[in-house]
Each structure stands twice: as structure tokens, then as C-alpha cells.
Amino acid sequence: MSSNAPRLTALDALHRSLGATMTDFAGWDMPLRYGSERDEHLAVRTRAGLFDLSHMGEITVTGPGAAALLNHALVGNIASVGVGRARYTMICREDGGILDDLIVYRLAENEYMVVANASNAQVVLDALTERAAGFDALVRDDRDAYALIAVQGPESPGILKSLTDADLDGLKYYAGLPGTVAGVPALIARTGYTGEDGFELFVAPSDAEKLWQALTDAGAPVGLVPCGLSCRDTLRLEAGMPLYGHELTTSLTPFDAGLGRVVKFEKEGDFVGRAALQEAASRAAENPPRVLVGLVAEGRRVPRAGFSVVADGKVIGEVTSGAPSPTLGKPIAMAYVDAAHAAPGTAGVGVDIRGSHEPYEVVALPFYKRQK
């Protein structure tokens, strides 16, 4: 098999049997959609959807120096994460540029699982391995050790409760606990990337098909459907969640992305990128960088990443993600725009769509927030 053949998840045959349209995503063959993207999107918003996320990159960090290593390698204060909890954070270059955004789970006193985006998993693994020098900690590539299945949507707690005796009610947002789901050992996490309540289940690849089938059967009465990456993108866009390669890149620091809050200067010890990030924080305070905003179309034309945002005949920003919003019924976009045009309701803002300046309303993110 050639090295550039896409990797297959443990659920590949199952996706094909369900008639999924497959696509190459970050070197993996992944389901884009099973039927209608809009129907899958609305199922997650109103009922429940089932996702194969086995392309995500799991990296385990263990040892007495694991917390110190992660505090040095990442911008967050990982040592302060309690066992059983998770934290959203980033790994940056020495110059402050974002290498990836991550979720770190503390599984035990001296054991962490770092979950990287599929497109950056190798970069993150290499950076952590290199940064581990001098720390009493081991960095292990566990990408082949896990399949990852997510069930998202308002019906997801009920579906999962029917298959596990784990304490789901006690499982907070950004936490994880070991349990058994449908007889399968799993790490049950409650994070999510859709703007809805939901769970991620990290399991052995050999157990993935059994678990997917059990969730499908348990969810059938409440309208759960399998969902592809396409609706995952529109769901996270409505929820105002950044996507690496679009809202986050190595040319931006967390402060440029409006996510400076993830950088913890007060933690003990030095960390990679600290000096550059302190400069970026001062710059942002004195002279606000472009701001990430929401744009809602007045017309029907859909903006795409890279399109210019304009006002008074001048370019004032750039679209990072755009799509039709099934929930709002209009095209929406996230864009970085000059601070002078970033306030919600700013008049005269448009997007240059093939030479035509289409009017857009500037709104605060997120576009959609679920009712608690």
C-alpha cells in the first residue's frame, strides 16, 4: 500500500454500507455526508447525530514530569487541571504563532491525553517530543490506539444513559470519566464542537463498530442519524468555534485570534513562546488587531474563505469560513475585520463575491447559542 493512500478508520466499511459520500480529510478517508447535509445539521440541533471522529490525533503524556512538560510546551496552565477534567488550550511556536488548538484530558495524577486536530497531529507529536527533553515524562503516539465516536444533540444524554451506568449527570462540560458503554470500555468525555450538549467516546478500534451499532439502535426512537464532516463544519460555524487552518494559523497568535484568554502568563516556569506572546498581548492592548466577527448575509450568495470584506470601497478584512446556515436560513461567515468595523451593527460592510460587493450585517459571535 502506497504511503499516500488515505488512512481508514475502524468504521470505514460501515460508512460505505450506509452510502456515505467519502472524502480525503487530512490524509484520512472520512464521511462527508450520508444524505442531506441540512438534514444532518438539523438533526444535531433538534435531536441527535452520530459522528466518526477517529481521525483526531491522541497523544498520551505520562510520568512524574508530565504536568511540568505540558506547562512548558503549551500556553495553558495544565498542572492546574484536576484529574477527570479537560482544558481547551493551544501549542504555539517560539514566535507565538499557533501550531494547533488542543483539548488536554487529565486521566490520572501523572497521565494526560492531548487531542490534536487530524491535520496537525504529527506536528504536535513532533513538537511535544522535542519539548520533552529534560523532563521526566514520556510522549506516546496513541493515534492507532483509539477510535473516537461522538454523539451530539439534545437527545444525546438520554441515548447514552440507556447504554451505560456511568454518572453522566455528574459529568460536567470539559470533563471525562472512564466507563463502559454498551459493554465496551470507553473514556466518556463531554466536550463537543457543535454548540450542542454531547459526548465523545474514546474506545479501542476493535470495539468501534459494536459501539456505533448500539448507539444507532438506542438513538433510532428519538431520531438520531449518522452525520458527516460537512454538517460538523456548519454546526461549529454557527457556534462560533474556530477551525485550524481557517480562524487559527501559524501567522496568528492567540491574541490576534481573540483567544488570548487561553494563554496563562501567571503559571510557574517558562513556556515556549512566552516572550513573543507577551509582546503580542501588549500590542493587542495598545492597537487592537483585526477582530474575529460574525457576518450574516442580506442576500443569498455564500461567502467563502479568502474572500475580502469591504467597506467604503476599501478592503477591511478577510473571510475565514463561510457557509449557508441551516438554523438561520441565510449565508453566514466568520471574518477577521479591522477593529473600526468590528462592532455589531456596523453599517456599510460587504463581502466581495466575484467582484460584486454583497451587503452583510456584522454580528457578535456565536450565531447560535443553545438554550440551557
Side-chain angles (χ1 to χ4, degrees):
M1 180 168 134
S2 80
S3 60
N4 29 1
R7 297 179 69 175
L8 307 180
T9 78
L11 295 164
D12 184 74
L14 200 145
H15 299 316
R16 292 168 197 280
S17 73
L18 291 170
T21 301
M22 305 296 284
T23 188
D24 178 8
F25 183 81
W28 290 81
D29 219 6
M30 296 296 293
L32 190 61
R33 71 182 79 78
Y34 298 84
S36 145
E37 287 160 24
R38 186 174 174 279
D39 289 352
E40 291 172 25
H41 178 110
L42 294 173
V44 175
R45 284 276 176 262
T46 59
R47 303 187 305 278
L50 193 56
F51 296 84
D52 179 8
L53 306 179
S54 303
H55 60 314
M56 300 296 279
E58 295 88 4
I59 301 160
T60 304
V61 181
T62 55
L69 161 60
L70 290 171
N71 262 15
H72 164 71
L74 311 179
V75 301
N77 188 351
I78 308 305
S80 69
V81 178
V83 173
R85 297 308 304 263
R87 185 156 297 165
Y88 176 78
T89 187
M90 294 182 185
I91 182 167
C92 290
R93 300 193 305 197
E94 200 65 71
D95 67 1
I98 302 167
L99 282 173
D100 200 13
D101 62 335
L102 312 163
I103 294 178
V104 179
Y105 295 90
R106 189 169 198 167
L107 304 181
E109 189 58 33
N110 293 328
E111 182 181 3
Y112 295 82
M113 181 166 69
V114 176
V115 182
N117 285 297
S119 53
N120 296 329
Q122 191 62 49
V123 169
V124 173
L125 177 67
D126 292 346
L128 286 175
T129 303
E130 187 182 315
R131 294 172 189 187
F135 288 92
D136 187 6
L138 186 70
V139 176
R140 187 174 72 227
D141 179 0
D142 268 349
R143 284 176 287 180
D144 293 336
Y146 292 103
L148 177 56
I149 295 172
V151 53
Q152 293 276 306
E155 297 285 357
S156 57
I159 294 167
L160 201 54
K161 274 180 190 169
S162 70
L163 298 172
T164 183
D165 55 9
D167 177 19
L168 298 185
D169 292 332
L171 184 66
K172 297 183 173 73
Y173 189 52
Y174 268 76
L177 88 168
T180 304
V181 182
V184 168
L187 172 68
I188 306 167
R190 195 171 206 160
T191 49
Y193 191 57
T194 61
E196 298 301 334
D197 193 8
F199 303 86
E200 293 74 45
L201 306 167
F202 294 86
V203 299
S206 55
D207 288 331
E209 209 162 308
K210 177 184 175 186
L211 181 58
W212 179 282
Q213 203 51 60
L215 287 161
T216 299
D217 295 346
V222 291
L224 171 135
V225 299
C227 294
L229 292 180
S230 190
C231 84
R232 185 170 162 81
D233 192 47
T234 51
L235 289 159
R236 70 92 197 166
L237 177 55
E238 288 183 352
M241 293 177 170
L243 175 64
Y244 195 88
H246 289 256
E247 288 72 41
L248 308 174
T249 67
T250 48
S251 64
L252 295 171
T253 72
F255 294 94
D256 299 319
L259 290 165
R261 63 180 181 276
V262 305
V263 182
K264 302 300 181 193
F265 293 120
E266 70 280 7
K267 66 180 173 175
E268 277 182 41
D270 197 14
F271 63 91
V272 178
R274 179 194 273 272
L277 289 167
Q278 274 169 324
E279 273 177 41
S282 309
R283 265 200 320 271
E286 285 163 33
N287 179 19
R290 282 186 165 176
V291 179
L292 189 64
V293 301
L295 298 173
V296 178
E298 290 177 25
R300 309 301 312 164
R301 296 182 74 184
V302 178
R304 297 295 179 196
F307 285 13
S308 294
V309 183
V310 292
D312 307 322
K314 295 190 189 71
V315 174
I316 56 145
E318 186 177 304
V319 171
T320 53
S321 296
S325 162
T327 305
L328 275 63
K330 300 172 180 178
I332 59 171
M334 285 202 275
Y336 282 110
V337 303
D338 293 346
H341 293 87
T346 302
V349 172
V351 175
D352 184 340
I353 301 184
R354 296 179 192 86
S356 158
H357 290 188
E358 301 286 328
Y360 272 74
E361 182 191 353
V362 179
V363 300
L365 291 169
F367 300 97
Y368 165 85
K369 211 166 190 170
R370 72 184 167 100
Q371 306 303 306
K372 291 284 188 254

